[in-house]
Amino acid sequence: MGASALQDYRRIWTAATTWRNPQGVKWGGRLALLFGLALAMAKLAGLLHKTSFWKGELMIAVGWFTLTWMALFLPASVLMNSAPNARLMPRQRRRLLQMGAASWTFAAVGATFALGNGAGFPLFAAYMLGLMLVRAGVRSAAVLFMLPATWPLLSPRLPVPLVEALTSTPGLLASSILFVLGAAWGLVRLYPAGGDRHLDGRGQVVERIGRISNPEFAKSGGVAWVNRFTYLPSLQRDCLLGRPGTLLLHALGPVVHWSAWIPGLAIMLMFALALGALLGFSGAEVPPDVTHGVLNTVLIVLNSLIVLGGAKFSQALRTTRGEQALLRLTPLAGQAALLNRRLADAMTKAVLLDWSMMTAVLMTGAWVAGADAALLLRQFALSCLAAMLAASCLLGDFSRSLPALAWRQALMMVLLCGGGATLQWMALGNLFWCGLALASMAGAVRLLRAGRRRMLSAPPAFPVERME
């Protein structure tokens, strides 16, 4: 591989990820680094075995890369490969195919090695293939990632000879080859070589990708269905009441409203309830290690959503500068001297409401799925830690620059995790998670108070970053 190819890869990756969503890439990298440092502190404290430590670090790297690839690179790269570009720039299409194949291979093989079970490669390969196709707008591929997710429940109900044939060495090899060939077919479908068929189906691909990225992107127009029953009535009521603090948040759009979490949280809760009901009525027994592994992975991923719940304000503030300027011209904006105080209070209340909703759903889902008291306590402690991370970048001097996670704050949080791990190493048991929850809540209060002081002493926030 020459320097020219590496330069092409770097340019394509930067254009598809960093230029498209710089804050998302920055936050994802910081969270991955923070989790990696926390594992290192736990390893130094003697909590983790060497093998578990390296598997955890690999899982963090694979998770960060897969999220970036699925959420940013994949849809952007598919849009890059338009029908004219595929013919006029064949080298770009070739690079996209190579990067797609390497990304899928790294995600599937990395997850397999991170869990330390080579027999699980076909499941991870199918899961990554299904996500890749669905994220790029191929809805029919949903069955590919639904099958691996439900395999622990389906396998006891399948005929024993069939399960033995699938899990044998020849069966695993054959299924692995099948999914590798399926990935090659999927990449060719995602990045066609131009022509009339590519040009005719381009509009549908763009619309599907846009609908996945933004539900309001659909050509049908109108407002997303959930907003018709939640956000729009709330907006109408707040306009009638004329509360300046609440109206300041409406200038940022429905993405920061609590109703934006309803579809995702409802799906998670219904899935947990359906899973619990299925296990209860059928009497199926899932191995405890599988249950705890799935729960731990899901809860860690969902805890990251709590952190991103605070980061969504920074993204909304950057994309609604025009709305902020218009709001400042209206009487409902209130006095300029009180704008920062009202905005800080409204943002704090919104983040606390989001955290309460998500924590309640996560705890309920984990309890229904069979989590014990120790796992529930750990989940609550991790939710409190995620809330502290979200509070670290919430308030500040918006007129000059939006707050970001400084290295001092990251170091403080890593030391907190390492100190807690040391306490657990000293046989405090569950008291460690109680202490972590209390320390995280105290840290969140301290960060919010410090950010609020900076915000109250700053010029009016709207429009943001105007004094840069």
Side-chain angles (χ1 to χ4, degrees):
M1 183 182 297
S4 177
L6 293 176
Q7 191 174 19
D8 291 342
Y9 298 149
R10 181 180 61 83
R11 288 176 176 175
I12 293 175
W13 182 267
T14 303
T17 57
T18 306
W19 290 357
R20 187 184 180 200
N21 191 349
Q23 291 300 314
V25 174
K26 184 185 297 184
W27 267 89
R30 287 172 175 173
L31 287 176
L33 178 61
L34 182 63
F35 290 147
L37 290 176
L39 278 183
M41 295 292 292
K43 173 65 173 64
L44 293 176
L47 285 175
L48 292 178
H49 189 267
K50 182 178 179 180
T51 304
S52 301
F53 167 70
W54 287 113
K55 286 182 179 180
E57 295 288 357
L58 179 59
M59 179 60 73
I60 292 173
V62 171
W64 167 79
F65 176 81
T66 303
L67 287 176
T68 307
W69 172 48
M70 290 290 182
L72 297 177
F73 176 80
L74 189 60
S77 61
V78 172
L79 295 179
M80 286 182 186
N81 189 59
S82 62
N85 290 345
R87 288 296 179 92
L88 298 176
M89 295 185 292
R91 191 174 75 177
Q92 175 183 272
R93 177 180 176 270
R94 186 168 63 251
R95 299 302 188 210
L96 290 175
L97 286 171
Q98 294 169 355
M99 296 177 70
S103 300
W104 178 84
T105 303
F106 175 74
V109 176
T112 302
F113 277 103
L115 294 182
N117 187 4
F121 174 77
L123 295 178
F124 289 112
Y127 189 82
M128 295 300 172
L129 176 59
L131 282 181
M132 178 180 70
L133 294 176
V134 170
R135 190 66 183 91
V138 184
R139 296 180 179 179
S140 58
V143 66
L144 288 175
F145 67 83
M146 290 298 295
L147 178 61
T150 57
W151 176 254
L153 298 176
L154 292 177
S155 56
R157 292 166 174 77
L158 295 177
V160 176
L162 177 61
V163 175
E164 292 179 352
L166 292 176
T167 55
S168 63
T169 301
L172 293 175
L173 181 60
S175 59
S176 300
I177 296 175
L178 178 64
F179 285 121
V180 169
L181 295 177
W185 170 84
L187 289 172
V188 173
R189 180 171 178 176
L190 292 181
Y191 306 108
D196 294 339
R197 185 176 181 181
H198 187 184
L199 189 62
D200 295 339
R202 179 67 177 176
Q204 295 180 355
V205 172
V206 173
E207 183 180 357
R208 289 173 183 173
I209 293 177
R211 187 183 292 112
I212 295 175
S213 303
N214 181 8
E216 298 180 7
F217 182 86
K219 291 182 178 180
S220 58
V223 187
W225 66 270
V226 68
N227 290 337
R228 300 177 183 176
F229 304 100
T230 55
Y231 179 72
L232 288 182
S234 176
L235 176 60
Q236 294 172 354
R237 183 181 65 254
D238 293 335
C239 289
L240 292 175
L241 295 176
R243 298 172 181 173
T246 308
L247 293 175
L248 291 176
L249 283 187
H250 283 298
L252 306 183
V255 68
V256 300
H257 195 254
W258 60 268
S259 61
W261 294 106
I262 289 180
L265 295 180
I267 291 174
M268 288 187 291
L269 188 58
M270 287 189 295
F271 178 78
L273 293 175
L275 180 61
L278 178 62
L279 293 177
F281 286 112
S282 63
E285 294 184 0
V286 182
D289 54 345
V290 175
T291 302
H292 281 78
V294 173
L295 280 176
N296 287 331
T297 304
V298 172
L299 293 179
I300 289 174
V301 172
L302 295 181
N303 274 323
S304 64
L305 296 179
I306 299 178
V307 182
L308 297 178
K312 69 179 182 180
F313 283 95
S314 299
Q315 186 71 15
L317 286 168
R318 281 192 172 91
T319 57
T320 57
R321 292 188 178 96
E323 290 84 347
Q324 299 164 24
L326 290 176
L327 182 65
R328 287 289 305 275
L329 300 177
T330 64
L332 293 179
Q335 301 179 13
L338 299 178
L339 189 147
N340 284 3
R341 182 184 301 273
R342 290 167 173 167
L343 182 62
D345 294 341
M347 291 177 63
T348 303
K349 292 178 182 178
V351 168
L352 291 177
L353 178 59
D354 291 347
W355 174 78
S356 301
M357 291 173 53
M358 299 187 70
T359 301
V361 171
L362 294 181
M363 297 284 288
T364 304
W367 175 71
V368 172
D372 53 10
L375 184 58
L376 292 176
L377 178 60
R378 182 172 62 182
Q379 163 58 23
F380 180 72
L382 292 176
S383 297
C384 294
L385 180 62
M388 186 177 68
L389 289 170
S392 64
C393 302
L394 184 63
L395 305 178
D397 185 1
F398 293 164
S399 64
R400 291 180 174 84
S401 61
L402 296 179
L405 184 63
W407 68 270
R408 293 184 180 88
Q409 296 171 336
L411 181 61
M412 179 190 67
M413 295 171 190
V414 172
L415 291 177
L416 176 63
C417 296
T422 304
L423 291 177
Q424 189 185 25
W425 178 60
M426 296 170 64
L428 286 181
N430 289 336
L431 292 179
F432 158 70
W433 299 109
C434 297
L436 179 62
L438 293 175
S440 299
M441 288 189 288
V445 172
R446 182 179 178 275
L447 290 171
L448 288 175
R449 290 184 60 184
R452 191 172 188 273
R453 285 196 299 268
R454 291 193 303 270
M455 194 166 177
L456 294 183
S457 62
F462 287 173
V464 299
E465 297 182 331
R466 66 184 183 279
M467 302 182 69
E468 279 285 340

